[in-house]
Amino acid sequence: FLMFNTTKAPFNDARFRQAVFAALDTVGIQKAVFRGVGKTPRSLIPSSTKYSIDDELPVHERDVEKARALFKEAGIDPATLSFTILTNERKERVDMATIIQAQLQELGIEAKIKVLEWGAYIQGLQKKEHDLFLLGWGLSVPDPDYAVAGLLETGAGTNYTFFSDAKLDELLASGRSLPDGPNREKTYRDMQLYINEKCPMILLHNDESLVGVQKTVKGFVSSPFDVHTFATAYFEE
């Protein structure tokens, strides 16, 4: 994700965030950096998770004129903008930041890139002083609540956008309380559409688990969580 510190102006304006989203070719960025591995998501809840509407939503297309119109609506001249994209030293994130920087420059926006080692990076996010930042989120529980709550619920320890929205909090509470079925499905549908409308982050990449195994290795079972056990694996000549 490319995420915004929503406590700071102009990042606290959804029109500004949508303008940045419109200014970026997220599909092209994903393809250029990950070279055929994974895909560009359309919803925060990934397609492999229950109640995701990722596959139903349209593919994002870059629209510079729409971006300019949204900036104008928000009362912002993009040529006056200057902010920093914070990332850790993971190569893919640095590469994404570099492409984002170039695409925003086409609108006159000066986006600087600051690369930190992991410990300093997380400490920097906790201080709430950052502008934009690149970060990922892994799902260890196959439930839609886990895909959203830790990132966007008010007060969540890993909510580094510091996004706080009463309607989203209400949807999260409702989703947790409902049994599986049509009502819960509608709650998460509404939630995904609402998150896309508010745009506290820009979705860039859903990863794909890749495992290479030699023909002589038998009994190995790949884990979807990338934490593999080799207890059942053996070699066969």
Side-chain angles (χ1 to χ4, degrees):
F1 314 115
L2 175 66
M3 310 176 85
F4 301 89
N5 178 356
T6 61
T7 66
K8 296 173 66 174
F11 317 118
N12 59 345
D13 189 328
R15 295 169 299 182
F16 171 86
R17 301 192 296 264
Q18 286 285 3
V20 173
F21 182 34
L24 298 178
D25 176 10
T26 55
V27 175
I29 292 169
Q30 196 278 337
K31 288 181 178 178
V33 173
F34 292 94
R35 302 183 182 187
V37 177
K39 67 175 186 177
T40 306
R42 307 166 207 172
S43 168
L44 182 54
I45 299 175
S47 56
S48 58
T49 303
K50 184 180 289 186
Y51 305 136
S52 172
I53 60 171
D54 186 89
D55 293 334
E56 302 174 29
L57 297 175
V59 175
H60 175 68
E61 294 184 7
R62 189 185 193 207
D63 189 336
V64 173
E65 291 310 310
K66 179 181 177 180
R68 293 188 193 280
L70 285 165
F71 280 130
K72 185 176 181 180
E73 185 181 330
I76 296 169
D77 178 359
T80 66
L81 289 171
S82 178
F83 50 75
T84 299
I85 301 172
L86 195 64
T87 182
N88 71 310
E89 66 269 48
R90 181 179 172 183
K91 183 181 185 302
E92 292 87 349
R93 290 180 185 160
V94 176
D95 290 346
M96 284 191 288
T98 303
I99 300 172
I100 289 166
Q101 180 187 51
Q103 292 186 356
L104 293 178
Q105 180 59 49
E106 292 179 34
L107 282 85
I109 299 170
E110 181 186 16
K112 303 170 186 176
I113 300 171
K114 186 174 183 179
V115 182
L116 298 174
E117 64 85 22
W118 183 250
Y121 180 53
I122 295 301
Q123 287 180 1
L125 294 179
Q126 291 170 341
K127 290 178 181 178
K128 210 187 257 191
E129 297 172 353
H130 53 285
D131 297 333
L132 278 69
F133 63 104
L134 287 161
L135 196 62
W137 184 248
L139 298 187
S140 57
V141 178
D143 187 86
D145 178 75
Y146 195 84
V148 179
L151 291 173
L152 294 178
E153 190 167 23
T154 299
T158 45
N159 179 357
Y160 297 126
T161 64
F162 300 101
F163 186 70
S164 180
D165 186 281
K167 180 176 178 179
L168 179 59
D169 290 343
E170 183 180 335
L171 286 167
L172 282 164
S174 176
R176 279 194 290 263
S177 66
L178 289 168
D180 281 334
N183 290 336
R184 192 169 194 242
E185 181 177 8
K186 182 181 184 306
T187 296
Y188 283 105
R189 169 179 286 275
D190 292 346
M191 185 187 303
Q192 289 167 86
L193 293 173
Y194 187 66
I195 291 168
N196 283 3
E197 175 189 336
K198 294 299 181 181
C199 196
M201 75 263 285
I202 293 172
L203 309 176
L204 294 171
H205 173 65
N206 269 357
D207 212 356
E208 184 177 16
S209 179
L210 298 177
V211 177
V213 181
Q214 291 183 332
K215 292 180 180 179
T216 55
V217 176
K218 306 295 181 182
F220 173 77
V221 179
S222 174
S223 165
F225 302 112
D226 283 336
V227 180
H228 306 296
T229 176
F230 298 93
T232 59
Y234 61 94
F235 289 99
E236 187 177 85
E237 296 295 336

